[in-house]
């Protein structure tokens, strides 16, 4: 018989370390699995389906036998909205359309292209293109973000190009401004030098004018003296005439 005082092994608690692990050590953290991101047509598109249903309904009521097929249009639109999608995951791209689906590995994708109309296209390594259902230009950022760098960020490259162009324009404007300031400084220096040389030229001109004035005065004085001498001294003929009269 067992004694009532027989020891019983303790029950496992939540704090008891797991078997095979060191005492007090925490289990190794597991990396969280990335969930696939689904890019699909916006749910607001169903509002257009409702509007289309009302439009075809009034036509159907007018002639049910001949226009019954119009009711298939809203149904087809709803099916297209529901099925059209692109799923981005770690293994690649899963493309789904109304009439089929396709899987693309990341090794097959060489890049993406943005057409003028329609969905974004994926350029494959075999020089072919595939439309990415539901991936419009507005959803391209979601595709790039979900690819984890597998698809180049076109928006970042465009922003870098714009920043480089803006920096080049700023540098060009600063260079022109520096040239303008240099030209203004040189112009001021030339004007100052001209102002400095102007008084010297004025003094030379004044001296020349004074010299010419002195020469003119001297010439006038000499002329007057010669006239006085001419008037004062009679000629020899007049002297002889005077002597004959006397």
């Amino acid at each position: 018989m067992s004694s009532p005082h027989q020891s019983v092994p303790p029950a496992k608690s939540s704090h008891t370390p797991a078997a095979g692990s060191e005492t007090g050590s925490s289990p190794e953290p597991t990396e969280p699995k990335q969930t696939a991101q689904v890019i699909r047509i916006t749910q607001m598109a169903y509002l257009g389906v409702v509007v289309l249903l009302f439009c075809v309904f009034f036509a159907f009521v007018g002639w049910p036998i001949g226009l019954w097929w119009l009711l298939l249009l809203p149904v087809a639109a709803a099916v297209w909205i529901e099925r059209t999608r692109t799923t981005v995951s770690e293994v690649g791209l899963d493309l789904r359309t109304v009439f089929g689906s396709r899987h693309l590995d990341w090794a097959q994708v060489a890049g993406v292209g943005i057409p003028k109309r329609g969905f974004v296209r994926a350029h494959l390594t075999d020089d072919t293109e595939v439309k990415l259902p539901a991936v419009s230009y507005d959803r391209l950022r979601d595709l790039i973000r979900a690819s984890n760098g597998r698809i180049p960020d076109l928006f970042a490259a465009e922003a870098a190009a714009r920043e480089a162009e803006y920096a080049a324009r700023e540098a060009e404007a600063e260079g022109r401004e520096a040239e303008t300031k240099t030209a203004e400084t040189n112009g001021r220096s030339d004007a100052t030098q001209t102002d400095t040389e102007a008084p010297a030229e004025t003094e030379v001109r004044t001296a020349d004018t004074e010299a010419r004035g002195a020469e003119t005065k001297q010439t006038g004085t000499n002329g007057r003296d010669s006239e006085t001498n001419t008037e004062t001294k009679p000629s020899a003929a007049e002297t002889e005439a005077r002597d004959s009269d006397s």
Side-chain angles (χ1 to χ4, degrees), residues 17-27:
S21 62
E22 298 180 357
T23 304
S25 62
S26 58

Side-chain angles (χ1 to χ4, degrees), residues 37 72 191:
Q37 182 173 353
L72 299 178

